[in-house]
Amino acid sequence: MSTRASTERTPRTRTGAVLAAVVFAGALLPISLTGASVALPGISDDLGSSLPAAQWVVNGYDLTFASLMLAAGSLADLFGRKRMFRGGLIIFTLTALLAAFSPNVLVLDILRAVAGVGAAGVLTAGSAILAQTFQGQARAKAFAVLGTAFGVGISFGPVLSGFEVNTLGWRGMFLSHAAVGTAVLLFLVRHIKESKAGEAGKVDWPGTLTFTASLFLFILALVQGPQWGWGNPVIIGSLIGCAVLLAAFAVVEKRQARPMFDISLFANPRFVSVSLVPVVLAFGFTAVLMFLPSYFMSVDGVSASTAGLILLFLTVPTLFLPMIAGTLTKYLSNRALMTLSLLVTAIGAAWLTVIAPHASMALLAGPLITIGVGFGISLGILDGAAVSTVEAERAGMAAGMFNTMRLAGEVVAIAAMGSLLVSFTQNEVSGGIGRFSGAYDGSASSLANTLVQGTLPSEAGKVGSGARGAFETFASGGYTSALHSALWLLAAVCAVGAVGIFALLREKKPATASAVVTSAQDAAEVPAKDKELV
């Protein structure tokens, strides 16, 4: 009896360790994203970087993360999920360690881009490992726990990173990421069993290269457009190159025996809807999460840790909602939950236009919590729904396709939000900045960059004391108006997305009466013939 109990405990211990490895490593990924956003003002001041250069600390990570997701999924299926998971975590951990010692922003940007490569391996292989390790209801619970881990990373990432930036500096923040990654590698990864897809094949490098280059050029244009001007030859060339490479990608994929994108999967409306939901939500949640800290630090002059604490209203709901959403699936369809997620987020984004300089927490709590609830609903259902659309042997491919859409959406949302804020703010301040020509020697463009970067207090320090108060009020008002305009656009994107997703998930119509009659007659003929034979 004791022997039997011992043998039963071993698999549970192993599966628990497997889940812990994927969950702890998975939580690092959103923490690395949100932490970098809180640390951007400190990084900019320390390394003397411009807004576009500092934004690539975030965009470079998300860009490679999104672009290489499918390649990582294919590699995991072909060469081993454990091998890909461990290799990705080693890359992520090592780059975090090196980032802490970056001498300039260029080195930091490069390291963050490499960290995204590792993150792609961790997430795709981790999702496939869970799909392979757990079955049935246990699989649903495992993915709900993974969704909660993402919620933890999103919820406490800004607070933890803000505290670390204030006490240890932004370099200490990256060192903490390296420490957690090392612990997972040393104590948990060894419990994972290796698994591969049954089919032989190869990685679709032509598809990977054309897709990655296309996405890179698109993000480059979005980030640098407001800085260089939309008519700049480099920006125009980037957009043209993006379109050409996308066309090349489509041609390449049609000729591949094992393409990076399984195009036939996109004929399934359910998979398409699951993949589009996080793309739309990225505009309503991720973009807000990334740029609110800079608003609070610029307009209200608060510290990074205080900005992180304010964001708890936005992020804490994502800690609890994934498990609640998993329970709600017993009573509500995925169609209803996905649509609800988008609608609630849209309401929250529109409501957040009440934000103003030195707004009270009572005023901001409602809209921030609403956005967090909308996003949190999706975390508990999307990963499991995406992976469950295919057989377990192709789990890496499904996870790669879904997470590519999710991460690409985040990259585009962050870049678009930054571009909109800079452009809107520049328009708002350009008309009145001339009033401070004797006290402030910067341009409307440089002021817009300063505001969006979260460094207005240091910039205002250069203005004479007699005009400083009026200058801060003017700049803060322009930034607030620009943020309101951006929030209305984000709310519209989520509302339109909700309608589209609801329509896309429409149930198929039942068979026509004539078809039912014909089918019934065909079925009736079989026993009749059998009777004749008897």
Side-chain angles (χ1 to χ4, degrees):
M1 184 174 180
S2 60
T3 303
R4 180 181 178 182
S6 176
T7 58
E8 289 179 348
R9 281 196 300 269
T10 301
R12 292 178 184 176
T13 301
R14 187 188 70 79
T15 55
V18 170
L19 180 60
V22 175
V23 163
F24 281 114
L28 271 178
L29 308 184
I31 288 176
S32 184
L33 177 67
T34 58
S37 69
V38 172
L40 280 184
I43 292 172
S44 299
D45 284 342
D46 188 23
L47 301 180
S49 65
S50 64
L51 174 64
Q55 280 185 328
W56 281 103
V57 173
V58 174
N59 288 333
Y61 173 78
D62 248 358
L63 176 59
T64 52
F65 197 170
S67 303
L68 295 176
M69 194 73 68
L70 289 176
S74 297
L75 285 169
D77 285 341
L78 296 174
F79 302 114
R81 283 76 179 258
K82 178 179 180 179
R83 184 176 298 175
M84 176 57 65
F85 181 83
R86 180 172 53 200
L89 189 54
I90 289 173
I91 292 173
F92 181 91
T93 301
L94 183 59
T95 52
L97 177 63
L98 295 175
F101 301 96
S102 299
N104 55 60
V105 72
L106 177 60
V107 172
L108 181 58
D109 287 344
I110 293 172
L111 287 171
R112 290 288 291 165
V114 177
V117 176
V122 170
L123 186 56
T124 52
S127 298
I129 286 168
L130 291 186
Q132 193 72 28
T133 304
F134 299 93
Q135 303 296 327
Q137 193 64 27
R139 178 188 289 179
K141 290 180 180 179
F143 276 103
V145 172
L146 179 60
T148 301
F150 272 88
V152 170
I154 294 170
S155 299
F156 297 104
V159 178
L160 177 61
S161 300
F163 174 78
E164 289 175 334
V165 169
N166 283 351
T167 56
L168 305 174
W170 61 270
R171 299 179 188 274
M173 178 194 71
F174 284 118
L175 284 175
S176 70
H177 299 170
V180 174
T182 300
V184 175
L185 285 167
L186 292 178
F187 301 110
L188 295 174
V189 172
R190 60 190 177 90
H191 295 283
I192 300 174
K193 285 187 177 181
E194 189 60 277
S195 63
K196 302 179 183 179
E199 301 178 20
K202 61 181 181 179
V203 180
D204 177 15
W205 291 116
T208 300
L209 293 175
T210 51
F211 179 80
T212 303
S214 176
L215 183 58
F216 177 84
L217 290 176
F218 182 61
I219 301 303
L220 176 66
L222 282 180
V223 173
Q224 298 297 145
Q227 313 300 324
W228 297 347
W230 293 104
N232 185 286
V234 175
I235 302 301
I236 295 175
S238 296
L239 293 174
I240 294 174
C242 170
V244 171
L245 286 169
L246 273 180
F249 171 73
V251 172
V252 165
E253 293 305 278
K254 289 181 179 180
R255 298 179 178 179
Q256 289 287 332
R258 188 180 176 90
M260 184 173 75
F261 273 115
D262 186 356
I263 304 297
S264 63
L265 194 56
F266 283 94
N268 181 352
R270 194 162 297 278
F271 181 81
V272 172
S273 64
V274 171
S275 299
L276 286 179
V277 170
V279 174
V280 178
L281 284 174
F283 287 87
F285 179 84
T286 308
V288 173
L289 177 67
M290 294 301 296
F291 287 96
L292 274 187
S294 69
Y295 178 84
F296 293 131
M297 285 184 268
S298 267
V299 173
D300 296 338
V302 302
S303 65
S305 59
T306 302
L309 287 172
I310 296 172
L311 289 182
L312 283 177
F313 288 114
L314 176 69
T315 59
V316 163
T318 65
L319 177 63
F320 303 103
L321 264 295
M323 297 300 291
I324 296 175
T327 302
L328 288 177
T329 55
K330 299 178 181 178
Y331 311 100
L332 297 174
S333 66
N334 279 341
R335 182 193 191 195
L337 288 173
M338 291 177 192
T339 305
L340 179 65
S341 174
L342 292 166
L343 286 177
V344 171
T345 304
I347 292 170
W351 188 3
L352 190 56
T353 55
V354 301
I355 194 170
H358 306 289
S360 67
M361 290 302 97
L363 184 67
L364 297 178
L368 291 177
I369 291 172
T370 302
I371 295 173
V373 168
F375 183 75
I377 291 171
S378 71
L379 288 178
I381 59 176
L382 290 179
D383 288 271
V387 174
S388 298
T389 57
V390 299
E391 64 276 14
E393 289 76 13
R394 303 295 299 279
M397 170 70 78
M401 294 177 73
F402 168 71
N403 285 299
T404 293
M405 297 287 288
R406 173 159 61 186
L407 269 296
E410 289 186 358
V411 174
V412 173
I414 292 169
M417 183 66 164
S419 177
L420 286 173
L421 281 178
V422 171
S423 297
F424 288 168
T425 304
Q426 185 173 334
N427 290 335
E428 292 288 340
V429 302
S430 60
I433 197 171
R435 304 200 317 261
F436 304 94
S437 58
Y440 180 67
D441 58 0
S443 64
S445 177
S446 63
L447 178 56
N449 279 307
T450 296
L451 285 162
V452 177
Q453 203 165 352
T455 55
L456 176 62
S458 62
E459 188 74 4
K462 303 174 184 178
V463 179
S465 57
R468 187 177 303 163
F471 176 79
E472 289 179 341
T473 300
F474 162 74
S476 297
Y479 191 13
T480 301
S481 296
L483 181 60
H484 287 174
S485 298
L487 287 171
W488 282 117
L489 281 177
L490 299 183
V493 168
C494 291
V496 172
V499 175
I501 295 301
F502 185 80
L504 199 58
L505 283 174
R506 184 177 56 217
E507 297 293 334
K508 292 182 178 180
K509 294 182 179 180
T512 61
S514 59
V516 172
V517 171
T518 301
S519 177
Q521 290 175 345
D522 291 342
E525 289 178 1
V526 175
K529 291 179 180 178
D530 288 344
K531 289 178 181 179
E532 290 177 3
L533 290 174
V534 172

